[in-house]
Amino acid sequence: KLLNNKHYIKANYQAMIEEMESIDADYYWVIDDVLFSSRADALKFIEIIEKKKIKLKIIGYLRADFICKEHDLLKRLKEVGLCELIVGFEATDNKELENYKKTTNATDYPLVISLLKDNKIDLTALFMVHPNYGFKDFKILNNFIKENKIDVYTISIMTPVKGTILYDEMKDELIEKRPEKFDFLHLVLKSKLPKFIFYILFYSLHIRMLKSKRIKKFIRQEI
């Protein structure tokens, strides 16, 4: 709602793919909020690339519920070049998702992970930790990542962004107001745990990625 003056802009897939054709790159990262908002969008995307008979490697964002509902399209999307999806899981508990005003269902996430693996589409999962997290909450998230064998993920700290309803609701609770600290990697609200302990647990969640095969492969290619 903070972008485009609150107006939704529908993607022009023809123009998007023509632009990809004009750019010499190994990968094309489409940074729209979601690559497709409907099945018709996905089919249009597939049709354009199939007609052009071009080889692309595309990275995009999709909702978990879209992946579950339209899972029969994943094979075709992979064939036309969709090689990686970034999916906002945010939390592993539906109550927490409701607090974030998310309408996805956390019980679908294992299925999403399985569907993408079956279709050989890489997943980058997005998670968020809340300042009120305790030891148990960090452990639950760590176990979820481990049990579902998520290879690549990012974790941010819940941060109310200026201009949103959440910011208006929580602005009196802010312990930090410097703009550079609103990067989703710093606490701007008081944490339940001592700040030092919170940061240790937060950064410890990232240690698993040292074993990531995808990250190791990328590093080897860059050396």
Side-chain angles (χ1 to χ4, degrees):
K1 291 182 180 180
L2 296 178
L3 303 176
N4 302 320
N5 198 26
K6 300 182 180 180
H7 292 292
Y8 172 71
I9 299 176
K10 188 174 179 62
N12 182 328
Y13 297 113
Q14 184 74 38
M16 180 191 297
I17 294 162
E18 287 176 359
E19 184 176 2
M20 290 181 191
E21 286 186 285
S22 71
I23 301 171
D24 182 19
D26 294 329
Y27 293 87
Y28 301 88
W29 183 359
V30 183
I31 58 172
D32 284 352
D33 190 37
V34 288
L35 187 53
F36 316 118
S37 59
S38 69
R39 183 180 180 87
D41 286 345
L43 289 171
K44 181 67 174 177
F45 184 84
I46 291 168
E47 179 188 359
I48 293 169
I49 298 180
E50 285 181 341
K51 283 184 177 179
K52 285 180 171 291
K53 297 180 180 180
I54 53 177
K55 297 292 183 181
L56 300 170
K57 291 182 179 179
I58 302 167
I59 302 169
Y61 295 81
L62 272 184
R63 286 173 56 96
D65 49 6
F66 183 95
I67 294 169
C68 290
K69 183 180 178 183
E70 312 296 351
H71 62 88
D72 62 303
L73 295 180
L74 293 175
K75 183 176 183 294
R76 291 182 66 190
L77 286 167
K78 170 67 177 180
E79 290 171 349
V80 298
L82 186 62
C83 63
E84 178 181 342
L85 280 174
I86 303 169
V87 185
F89 287 170
E90 316 307 350
T92 61
D93 177 77
N94 279 334
K95 188 173 182 180
E96 188 174 347
L97 288 175
E98 288 175 12
N99 291 335
Y100 295 147
K101 305 296 189 292
K102 291 279 288 184
T103 56
T104 51
N105 188 338
T107 62
D108 289 338
Y109 295 168
L111 176 59
V112 171
I113 296 164
S114 177
L115 287 169
L116 295 181
K117 285 182 179 178
D118 289 346
N119 287 279
K120 296 180 172 57
I121 298 174
D122 289 333
L123 165 69
T124 294
L126 309 183
F127 294 100
M128 185 158 56
V129 297
H130 197 283
N132 67 10
Y133 267 25
F135 287 102
K136 182 180 178 181
D137 302 297
F138 279 102
K139 184 177 181 181
I140 289 172
L141 178 53
N142 183 65
N143 287 344
F144 180 87
I145 293 169
K146 180 180 179 181
E147 290 167 5
N148 288 281
K149 299 179 181 178
I150 300 176
D151 197 34
V152 178
Y153 53 90
T154 70
I155 305 173
S156 59
I157 298 173
M158 198 287 287
T159 303
V161 178
K162 196 168 186 179
T164 63
I165 294 174
L166 185 62
Y167 182 90
D168 293 335
E169 291 174 349
M170 308 187 81
K171 61 184 178 182
D172 294 334
E173 301 174 38
L174 294 173
I175 59 171
E176 178 63 72
K177 295 189 178 181
R178 288 176 291 175
E180 64 269 23
K181 297 299 182 181
F182 283 72
D183 58 0
F184 299 92
L185 296 175
H186 291 86
L187 283 164
V188 298
L189 297 167
K190 183 176 175 58
S191 56
K192 176 180 177 180
L193 294 168
K195 185 183 288 189
F196 179 70
I197 300 297
F198 181 95
Y199 279 128
I200 287 178
L201 294 172
F202 173 67
Y203 285 107
S204 294
L205 288 171
H206 296 77
I207 292 175
R208 287 189 55 79
M209 281 200 290
L210 295 175
K211 300 178 181 179
S212 168
K213 293 179 182 178
R214 280 170 57 198
I215 291 177
K216 287 180 180 178
K217 181 181 178 181
F218 175 78
I219 292 173
R220 285 196 299 269
Q221 290 174 340
E222 293 299 309
I223 292 176

